[in-house]
Amino acid sequence: MKLTEPEWLIMNTLWDKHPAKARDVVERLPSSVNWAYTTVKTMLDRLVEKKAVSKSKRGNTGLYEPRLSRRQARRTALRMVLDRAFDGAFGPMMYFLVEDESLSAGERKELIKILSGKSRSKGEQK
Amino acid sequence: MKLTEPEWLIMNTLWDKHPAKARDVVERLPSSVNWAYTTVKTMLDRLVEKKAVSKSKRGNTGLYEPRLSRRQARRTALRMVLDRAFDGAFGPMMYFLVEDESLSAGERKELIKILSGKSRSKGEQK
DNA sequence: ATAATTCTACTACGTTTGTAGCATACTTCA
DNA sequence: TGAAGTATGCTACAAACGTAGTAGAATTAT
């Protein structure tokens, strides 16, 4: 499931804390974002339609909850870049990342540790 | 400069070989893509408008050339994911990548080599 | 109970995307 | 030199996005 930019913002607040009322989402949106309540409402409803979010009701008030996991969304986003921008080649993308981004020595070390630690072969997890 | 999905396809053929005529692009598009000549033309022109591609003419025929570098496009795409999906935190994204993707032992080793090789501290490059 | 507030449902509307047709002008080959 | 093919510029148009208003229902506070 592909998310658009504003949808990411909404989902992020939802992942951080849920269930949430539309009002909650509005309030927890990054301060740089100044959407009208109705805008957020519309987007929430569209996300429900897309099945990225589920909606229940307590009394008259709608409660929204992520249905799409953050992990899955991240996976989709990365795979998209991987496919479009690196023709699906994982190695080159990783190479690009460590080459292009300026990693601190600490970050590099951290990564090496992660990589070394994962000696066991991991099964697919879809 | 953000590229849309079909734009990536066009740009990819352009990066692979350029300058190219509209016809060339049509032909080099992945076989799964079956766009009409005019569709490609429209997209090329929109890319020109966006300044992602430059256009010159030899006689009556337009020659297109990437103006946006592949590297820059990749950077933008990755930064977008980084910002939206990982709140700009590079480490966690890398962690996610090595955690989530099932790397082969070889790939891991390769990465470790890359990482270890880059011991010199690299200056910022924005 | 009633006024004020808050939600919800529904609608709106300009822009961008995705995809392509048409008419016209140019090129080329028989 | 005219027919066939190709390129170009312009137009079209539906779906998705991004953003928000309005009206009426429900809740709350006085």
Side-chain angles (χ1 to χ4, degrees):
Chain A
M1 164 120 17
K2 191 186 173 5
L3 299 176
T4 66
E5 284 224 20
E7 283 172 350
W8 269 101
L9 299 183
I10 301 271
M11 291 304 286
N12 276 332
T13 78
L14 237 39
W15 283 316
D16 285 347
K17 184 159 175 300
H18 60 93
K21 295 182 285 183
R23 180 65 52 187
D24 297 336
V25 174
V26 173
E27 271 154 21
R28 290 209 224 86
L29 243 23
S31 56
S32 52
V33 175
N34 256 67
W35 290 327
Y37 173 90
T38 46
T39 300
V40 172
K41 198 73 180 30
T42 301
M43 288 203 282
L44 277 170
D45 290 340
R46 286 188 188 167
L47 282 166
V48 169
E49 216 167 302
K50 271 200 190 181
K51 311 247 201 256
V53 165
S54 72
K55 179 184 188 180
S56 54
K57 288 201 139 190
R58 189 187 19 166
N60 186 46
T61 301
L63 287 182
Y64 298 89
E65 219 153 341
R67 203 162 156 44
L68 173 69
S69 73
R70 182 171 242 163
R71 182 182 193 78
Q72 190 54 56
R74 285 176 166 172
R75 213 180 264 156
T76 303
L78 284 168
R79 183 159 304 279
M80 193 129 287
V81 177
L82 180 59
D83 287 347
R84 301 280 156 266
F86 294 89
D87 201 28
F90 188 76
M93 183 172 86
M94 290 306 267
Y95 187 84
F96 184 92
L97 279 167
V98 305
E99 251 295 321
D100 191 72
E101 297 286 328
S102 341
L103 299 199
S104 72
E107 287 174 313
R108 272 202 312 279
K109 242 194 218 126
E110 180 58 30
L111 275 177
I112 291 176
K113 206 169 73 196
I114 295 166
L115 285 164
S116 314
K118 305 192 63 51
S119 319
R120 69 194 185 286
S121 64
K122 243 177 71 200
E124 258 312 317
Q125 78 203 127
K126 198 40 191 294
Chain B
M1 164 120 17
K2 189 184 172 7
L3 299 175
T4 67
E5 285 223 20
E7 283 172 348
W8 269 101
L9 299 183
I10 301 270
M11 291 304 287
N12 276 331
T13 79
L14 239 38
W15 282 317
D16 286 346
K17 184 159 174 301
H18 60 93
K21 295 182 285 183
R23 180 68 51 186
D24 298 336
V25 174
V26 173
E27 273 155 21
R28 290 210 224 85
L29 243 23
S31 57
S32 53
V33 175
N34 257 67
W35 290 327
Y37 172 88
T38 46
T39 301
V40 172
K41 198 73 178 33
T42 301
M43 288 203 281
L44 277 170
D45 290 341
R46 284 186 189 167
L47 283 166
V48 169
E49 215 168 302
K50 271 200 192 182
K51 310 247 203 256
V53 166
S54 72
K55 178 185 189 180
S56 54
K57 288 202 142 192
R58 191 190 18 169
N60 188 43
T61 301
L63 287 182
Y64 298 88
E65 220 154 340
R67 204 163 156 42
L68 173 68
S69 73
R70 183 169 240 163
R71 182 183 194 76
Q72 188 54 57
R74 286 177 165 171
R75 212 180 266 156
T76 303
L78 284 168
R79 183 160 303 280
M80 195 128 286
V81 177
L82 179 60
D83 287 347
R84 302 279 158 266
F86 294 88
D87 201 28
F90 188 76
M93 183 172 86
M94 291 305 269
Y95 186 85
F96 184 91
L97 279 166
V98 305
E99 251 295 322
D100 190 72
E101 298 287 328
S102 340
L103 300 198
S104 71
E107 287 175 315
R108 272 202 312 278
K109 226 178 238 147
E110 180 58 30
L111 275 177
I112 292 176
K113 206 169 71 195
I114 296 167
L115 285 165
S116 315
K118 306 191 62 54
S119 322
R120 69 194 185 288
S121 65
K122 247 177 69 201
E124 260 311 320
Q125 79 202 124
K126 201 33 184 304

